[in-house]
């Protein structure tokens, strides 16, 4: 299941989540974003209970777009323990995204990991 997150629900749904949250920043007009939807659904089943999968419409949620400095779509970030780790800013395969998620969950750090 992929959760829809808004500026108003971010704190409760993501920032205060007891499990890591993967967020895809998207827009209704973004073709590559639409192609990511089945990948997110599939991975949400694989990571059931381990990672919460979320989507944010950047046109409707400008505060989150600014907070995460979204410059390209789709933009995918993992949020865990008050830190945000950018994963991709492009269309990626399911295998590649799963590999990156597992790397970060297993303690692999990216130099761009920053506090929320």
């Amino acid at each position: 299941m992929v959760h829809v997150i808004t500026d108003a629900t971010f704190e409760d749904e993501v920032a205060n989540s007891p499990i890591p949250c993967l967020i895809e920043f998207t827009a209704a007009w973004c073709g590559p974003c639409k192609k990511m939807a089945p990948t997110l659904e599939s991975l949400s089943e694989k990571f059931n209970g381990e990672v919460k999968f979320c989507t944010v419409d950047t046109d409707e949620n400008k505060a989150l777009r600014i907070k995460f400095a979204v410059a390209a779509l789709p933009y995918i970030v993992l949020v865990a323990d008050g830190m945000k780790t950018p994963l991709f800013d492009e269309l990626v395969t399911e295998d590649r995204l799963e590999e990156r998620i597992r790397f970060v969950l297993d303690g692999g750090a990216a130099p761009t990991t920053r506090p929320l």
Side-chain angles (χ1 to χ4, degrees), residues 40-109:
L40 294 181
E41 285 292 339
S42 176
L43 287 175
S44 74
E45 292 173 14
K46 285 184 182 180
F47 284 94
N48 187 22
E50 188 178 358
V51 175
K52 182 177 187 177
F53 283 75
C54 308
T55 185
V56 172
D57 185 311
T58 57
D59 290 335
E60 295 177 6
N61 299 283
K62 290 178 177 35
L64 287 173
R65 183 179 74 209
I66 293 166
K67 180 181 186 86
F68 283 84
V70 177
L73 296 176
Y75 180 63
I76 302 169
V77 62
L78 189 69
V79 174
D81 300 323
M83 302 297 282
K84 57 184 177 182
T85 303
L87 301 180
F88 293 101
D89 62 356
E90 62 186 353
L91 179 64
V92 296
T93 65
E94 183 172 334
D95 289 343
R96 193 166 169 217
L97 182 55
E98 181 179 358
E99 179 182 298
R100 184 72 56 92
I101 294 167
R102 292 201 187 282
F103 173 77
V104 174
L105 291 179
D106 289 342

